[in-house]
Amino acid sequence: DTEVTQTPKHLVMGMTNKKSLKCEQHMGHRAMYWYKQKAKKPPELMFVYSYEKLSINESVPSRFSPECPNSSLLNLHLHALQPEDSALYLCASSQGVQNFYEQYFGPGTRLTVT
Amino acid sequence: GENVEQHPSTLSVQEGDSAVIKCTYSDSASNYFPWYKQELGKRPQLIIDIRSNVGEKKDQRIAVTLNKTAKHFSLHITETQPEDSAVYFCAASKEAYGNKLVFGAGTILRVKS
């Protein structure tokens, strides 16, 4: 299996809802990432997990809460989001966090906050 | 921190022509430079990368060159085809920040048939 998968593909939520995004990889990668991408813009790094521990938090608001239950799974819990949080949320993985390891992206979850 | 500038923002070429996209970076310590292709509504896909100990790398119709002195790197696509139409992002990374990629703003490439 050489893919990163994400569910759901699309998500519409109200500002008072709680939802979660899921990411999975079975490539044995030990680093996993969450990115946010607005239309026609590059991906913006949110979080990095290395060996299931949070290693980078790019000053993301607390209404986004990441979780790495095991080496194959990465979740992003969402609560009290704002309309400006609407974006494509991409998960990525790499063999490690050294910069000679390639990052592979999942297909993304397109999130709309109403 | 690192800053990556990418030019041009849009590029239109005729099918069969070559396309060149250029990126400059600010941090001389950056030593890994990947290129991603993102088709409309799809995920970014790694198409080629280069590390600072190499000046050029080729993969079929795609090549990347790196000039460490000038701190710029370029993507070259030869014999362009309509399926090459996409947004291309360059990125830079260095050891001190783990595998944190700093992306350029992107180039929209249109290949006209």
Side-chain angles (χ1 to χ4, degrees):
Chain A
D1 190 345
T2 58
E3 264 205 2
V4 179
T5 59
Q6 288 185 244
T7 54
K9 288 186 179 178
H10 301 275
L11 178 62
V12 179
M13 61 185 289
M15 289 189 284
T16 57
N17 292 156
K18 285 185 181 181
K19 297 285 185 183
S20 297
L21 310 184
K22 295 185 185 304
C23 174
E24 194 166 1
Q25 57 87 15
H26 294 288
M27 296 180 279
H29 288 179
R30 303 315 301 264
M32 296 185 78
Y33 311 77
W34 279 115
Y35 287 86
K36 174 183 177 181
Q37 187 178 29
K38 290 279 203 179
K40 301 182 181 179
K41 297 290 186 183
E44 298 174 44
L45 183 67
M46 300 174 72
F47 303 104
V48 180
Y49 272 83
S50 172
Y51 291 85
E52 301 156 49
K53 292 193 183 332
L54 183 65
S55 61
I56 295 178
N57 177 340
E58 289 289 284
S59 302
V60 179
S62 58
R63 57 185 184 268
F64 296 92
S65 175
E67 178 196 21
C68 190
N70 60 54
S71 60
S72 300
L73 290 174
L74 185 66
N75 299 323
L76 186 63
H77 302 297
L78 314 173
H79 174 56
L81 294 194
Q82 305 296 310
E84 58 265 30
D85 296 323
S86 299
L88 180 68
Y89 287 84
L90 293 161
C91 173
S93 72
S94 65
Q95 193 173 342
V97 286
Q98 301 309 307
N99 67 343
F100 45 81
Y101 292 124
E102 299 89 346
Q103 286 188 33
Y104 295 95
F105 284 86
T109 293
R110 191 159 297 284
L111 173 67
T112 303
V113 181
T114 60
Chain B
E2 175 66 281
N3 182 50
V4 177
E5 294 192 359
Q6 184 171 345
H7 299 282
S9 56
T10 59
L11 178 59
S12 289
V13 299
Q14 203 64 37
E15 183 178 359
D17 288 350
S18 295
V20 180
I21 302 170
K22 298 181 180 180
C23 288
T24 59
Y25 60 99
S26 59
D27 191 336
S28 56
S30 288
N31 54 7
Y32 174 61
F33 308 94
W35 286 89
Y36 285 86
K37 173 185 180 182
Q38 188 172 26
E39 296 176 57
L40 189 64
K42 302 268 182 81
R43 74 186 79 192
Q45 283 191 297
L46 179 67
I47 56 172
I48 197 167
D49 57 15
I50 193 167
R51 292 173 175 88
S52 58
N53 58 345
V54 175
E56 182 175 3
K57 185 176 177 181
K58 281 186 180 179
D59 183 3
Q60 300 183 328
R61 296 187 295 108
I62 292 172
V64 56
T65 58
L66 171 65
N67 184 325
K68 285 189 294 183
T69 304
K71 291 190 283 188
H72 67 70
F73 57 110
S74 299
L75 178 71
H76 304 254
I77 306 174
T78 58
E79 300 171 24
T80 53
Q81 300 166 6
E83 52 265 38
D84 294 329
S85 297
V87 181
Y88 290 81
F89 293 103
C90 65
S93 173
K94 68 177 181 181
E95 199 72 36
Y97 291 101
N99 204 349
K100 176 181 173 180
L101 296 176
V102 178
F103 285 89
T107 296
I108 300 171
L109 174 64
R110 296 191 184 94
V111 180
K112 297 176 285 188
S113 55

